C-alpha cells in the first residue's frame, strides 16, 4: 500500500542543506574483478584543487559527511591530502571503501590514523578461495592484513561483501572474520547487474526466479548468525527485499519514499551532479555552477519530490535509504519516546505545582 504524501513534503527543500557530498575521485584500479567493468573506463582523476574547493562549498552549504567514491581511491597519491583537508575543515564523517591492497603502508597508515573522522571499509566477498577467484590471487590475505593494521592503529573499520551466486553460501565466514577481528559492522550488498561488462554471462553471478526462496532462507540465517556473533549488518533493514531483487529484479522503494536526494549531493568524475547513485539525471555541472545553485535548483527539487513520493525507479544498494526501510520501527520508537517525554513532563509539572503550593502556604 502506498502511503499518502503530505503537502509539506513538497516543501522539504525550502531552506534545506545536504548532509553529505559524494565525489567520484578516480576510475583507476589495481584489480580487475570479474563482476566489475569500471576499471576499464580510463577517465582522468577528478582534479585535487577542485575537490578541495567543492569540500569548502559543501561545508558552507551544511554538509558534514564526505563520501569519496570511485574504483580504488588509494591509487591517487593525493588521497591522504584530500582526506586530511576534509577532516581539518570540519567534516565529522568521512567514509571510504577500498580493496585493501594499497593500505598496508606504514607512512600511509600513520597519516590516516590521525584522521579521527575517517571510517575505512574493506571489500571481502568470501573466504580466501572465493575472494581470490573473484578478485585475484593473494588479494584476500592482503585485505585481511590491512584490516588488522587498521585495527592496530585504532582506525574505525568495516567490511563490505557482495551477495551473489559465488558468495551466498560463504558469507557466514565473513561474519566469523568480522567477529574475530572485532569489527562491529558488516555491509551485505546485493549484486548489481549494471556493474557487469556488456556481454558478460550474468548467470555466473545472478539468480533465477525459482531460487528466490533459497536466497530468502539463507539471508534470514545470516542475519540470525550475525546477531549471535554480535556483528551488526548495516544493510539488515533491506534484507527482506534482497531475494526478490536478486531473483526477479524487483527494485524496492522505502515505505515513506527515498530520502537520499534530500540528504546527499552526488558528483561524478566529469563534474556532473545527480540526485543519487542510481538516478543519473544531470542536475548541473560543478565546473559551470556552484553547489548552492544546483542543490536549490528545480531539477534537484523535482528529483527529491519524485523520490519522496515513491515515483523513482527504486534500487537496492548500500547507498540506498537504509534507514527508510526501518521507518516502521523508527516511527514506533519515536511514538514511544514522545509518550515517555510527555509523561515525564507532566510528572515534573505536578511536582513543581506541589512545591509552589507548599511555598504559598508556608508564606501565609
Amino acid at each position: 500500500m502506498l502511503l499518502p504524501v503530505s503537502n509539506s513534503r513538497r516543501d522539504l527543500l525550502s531552506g534545506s542543506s545536504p548532509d553529505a557530498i559524494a565525489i567520484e575521485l578516480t576510475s583507476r584500479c589495481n584489480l580487475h574483478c570479474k563482476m566489475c567493468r569500471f576499471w576499464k573506463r580510463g577517465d582522468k582523476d577528478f582534479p585535487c584543487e577542485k575537490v578541495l574547493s567543492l569540500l569548502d562549498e559543501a561545508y558552507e552549504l551544511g554538509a558534514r559527511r564526505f563520501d569519496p567514491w570511485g574504483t580504488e581511491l588509494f591509487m591517487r597519491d593525493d588521497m591522504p591530502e584530500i582526506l586530511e583537508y576534509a577532516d581539518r575543515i570540519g567534516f565529522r564523517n568521512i567514509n571510504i571503501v577500498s580493496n585493501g591492497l594499497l593500505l598496508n603502508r606504514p607512512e600511509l597508515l600513520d597519516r590516516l590514523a590521525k584522521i579521527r573522522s575517517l571510517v575505512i571499509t574493506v571489500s571481502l566477498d568470501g573466504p580466501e578461495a572465493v575472494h581470490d577467484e573473484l578478485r585475484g590471487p593473494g588479494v584476500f590475505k592482503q585485505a585481511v592484513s590491512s584490516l588488522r593494521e587498521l585495527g592496530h592503529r585504532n582506525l574505525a573499520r568495516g567490511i563490505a561483501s557482495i551477495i551473489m551466486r559465488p558468495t551466498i553460501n560463504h558469507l557466514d565466514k565473513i561474519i566469523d572474520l568480522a567477529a574475530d577481528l572485532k569489527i562491529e559492522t558488516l555491509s551485505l550488498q546485493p549484486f548489481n547487474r549494471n556493474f557487469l561488462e556488456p556481454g558478460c554471462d550474468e548467470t555466473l553471478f545472478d539468480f533465477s526466479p525459482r531460487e528466490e526462496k533459497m536466497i530468502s532462507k539463507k539471508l534470514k540465517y545470516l542475519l540470525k548468525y550475525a546477531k549471535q556473533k554480535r556483528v551488526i549488518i548495516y544493510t539488515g533493514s533491506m534484507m527482506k527485499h534482497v531475494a526478490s531483487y536478486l531473483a526477479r529484479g524487483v527494485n524496492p522503494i522505502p515505505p515513506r519514499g527515498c530520502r537520499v536526494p534530500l540528504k546527499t549531493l552526488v558528483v561524478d568524475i566529469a563534474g556532473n551532479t545527480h540526485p543519487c547513485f542510481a538516478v543519473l539525471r544531470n542536475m548541473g555541472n560543478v565546473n559551470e555552477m556552484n553547489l548552492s545553485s544546483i542543490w536549490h535548483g528545480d531539477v534537484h527539487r523535482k528529483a527529491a519530490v519524485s523520490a519522496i513520493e515513491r515515483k523513482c525507479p527504486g534500487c537496492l544498494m548500500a547507498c540506498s535509504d537504509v534507514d527508510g526501510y526501518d521507518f516502521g520501527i523508527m516511527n514506533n520508537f519515536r511514538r514511544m519516546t514522545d509518550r515517555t517525554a510527555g509523561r515525564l513532563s507532566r510528572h515534573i509539572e505536578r511536582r513543581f505545582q506541589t512545591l509552589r503550593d507548599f511555598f504559598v502556604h508556608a508564606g501565609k
Side-chain angles (χ1 to χ4, degrees), residues 40-52:
K40 292 186 176 182
R41 281 171 40 188
D43 303 300
K44 290 184 178 180
D45 289 353
F46 204 105
C48 182
E49 288 185 5
K50 187 61 179 178
V51 175
L52 304 188

Side-chain angles (χ1 to χ4, degrees), residues 125 130 162-172 207 211 214-219 221-222 242 246:
D125 296 317
V130 174
I162 302 176
I163 306 166
M164 51 185 165
R165 182 174 295 283
T167 67
I168 195 165
N169 292 321
H170 308 283
L171 292 172
D172 55 337
F207 299 89
E211 295 175 291
M214 176 274 292
I215 300 169
S216 180
K217 183 178 179 180
K218 288 187 180 295
L219 294 179
Y221 164 72
L222 289 172
V242 169
L246 289 175

Side-chain angles (χ1 to χ4, degrees), residues 106-175:
E107 290 184 5
L108 172 62
L109 289 169
D110 289 342
R111 290 183 70 175
L112 297 179
K114 296 175 182 177
I115 307 173
R116 304 319 302 174
S117 57
L118 182 62
V119 179
I120 298 180
T121 299
V122 174
S123 300
L124 282 172
D125 296 317
E128 185 172 0
V130 174
H131 189 72
D132 286 1
E133 175 64 24
L134 291 166
R135 297 184 182 261
V139 173
F140 178 85
K141 287 183 178 178
Q142 293 181 69
V144 172
S145 176
S146 290
L147 281 169
R148 293 186 190 281
E149 289 301 319
L150 292 171
H152 292 158
R153 286 169 169 78
N154 294 316
L155 268 156
R157 307 164 292 163
I159 295 175
S161 303
I162 302 176
I163 306 166
M164 51 185 165
R165 182 174 295 283
T167 67
I168 195 165
N169 292 321
H170 308 283
L171 292 172
D172 55 337
K173 301 299 189 299
I174 297 299
I175 294 173

Side-chain angles (χ1 to χ4, degrees), residues 6 12 120 131 237 243 258 263 268 272 276 286 324 332 353:
S6 65
L12 283 172
I120 298 180
H131 189 72
S237 61
C258 177
K263 299 186 291 185
D268 69 23
N272 297 316
C276 65
V286 297
N332 289 337
Q353 184 61 48

Side-chain angles (χ1 to χ4, degrees), residues 107-340:
E107 290 184 5
L108 172 62
L109 289 169
D110 289 342
R111 290 183 70 175
L112 297 179
K114 296 175 182 177
I115 307 173
R116 304 319 302 174
S117 57
L118 182 62
V119 179
I120 298 180
T121 299
V122 174
S123 300
L124 282 172
D125 296 317
E128 185 172 0
V130 174
H131 189 72
D132 286 1
E133 175 64 24
L134 291 166
R135 297 184 182 261
V139 173
F140 178 85
K141 287 183 178 178
Q142 293 181 69
V144 172
S145 176
S146 290
L147 281 169
R148 293 186 190 281
E149 289 301 319
L150 292 171
H152 292 158
R153 286 169 169 78
N154 294 316
L155 268 156
R157 307 164 292 163
I159 295 175
S161 303
I162 302 176
I163 306 166
M164 51 185 165
R165 182 174 295 283
T167 67
I168 195 165
N169 292 321
H170 308 283
L171 292 172
D172 55 337
K173 301 299 189 299
I174 297 299
I175 294 173
D176 288 336
L177 178 65
D180 291 343
L181 295 177
K182 294 181 171 57
I183 294 173
E184 296 180 352
T185 306
L186 167 64
S187 178
L188 295 179
Q189 308 169 15
F191 167 71
N192 191 324
R193 300 170 185 84
N194 295 327
F195 290 1
L196 283 178
E197 181 76 14
C200 181
D201 186 358
E202 291 185 5
T203 61
L204 296 174
F205 308 96
D206 221 338
F207 299 89
S208 66
R210 66 176 180 274
E211 295 175 291
E212 185 172 347
K213 289 185 178 179
M214 176 274 292
I215 300 169
S216 180
K217 183 178 179 180
K218 288 187 180 295
L219 294 179
K220 287 178 181 177
Y221 164 72
L222 289 172
L223 288 174
K224 183 178 179 181
Y225 188 63
K227 188 174 182 180
Q228 292 173 355
K229 288 286 189 173
R230 298 184 179 180
V231 173
I232 298 168
I233 304 298
Y234 165 70
T235 47
S237 61
M238 306 191 317
M239 286 300 106
K240 57 183 174 291
H241 301 285
V242 169
S244 60
Y245 171 83
L246 289 175
R248 294 185 284 118
V250 177
N251 284 322
I253 303 174
R256 299 286 289 187
C258 177
R259 292 179 175 265
V260 171
L262 290 169
K263 299 186 291 185
T264 303
L265 188 56
V266 178
V267 185
D268 69 23
I269 205 163
N272 297 316
T273 57
H274 309 283
C276 65
F277 291 93
V279 177
L280 300 182
R281 182 184 307 167
N282 188 359
M283 304 189 302
N285 191 288
V286 297
N287 297 306
E288 301 166 358
M289 302 171 63
N290 61 47
L291 289 184
S292 181
S293 298
I294 294 170
W295 180 259
H296 295 293
D298 287 340
V299 179
H300 178 229
R301 185 182 301 276
K302 290 177 182 177
V305 170
S306 175
I308 208 69
E309 291 184 340
R310 307 183 86 248
K311 295 178 181 177
C312 67
C315 66
L316 204 61
M317 299 185 283
C319 55
S320 300
D321 188 0
V322 176
D323 293 338
Y325 290 103
D326 260 342
F327 179 83
I329 297 172
M330 293 302 296
N331 206 32
N332 289 337
F333 176 75
R334 290 190 189 99
R335 284 199 295 267
M336 179 184 71
T337 53
D338 286 346
R339 287 196 299 268
T340 302

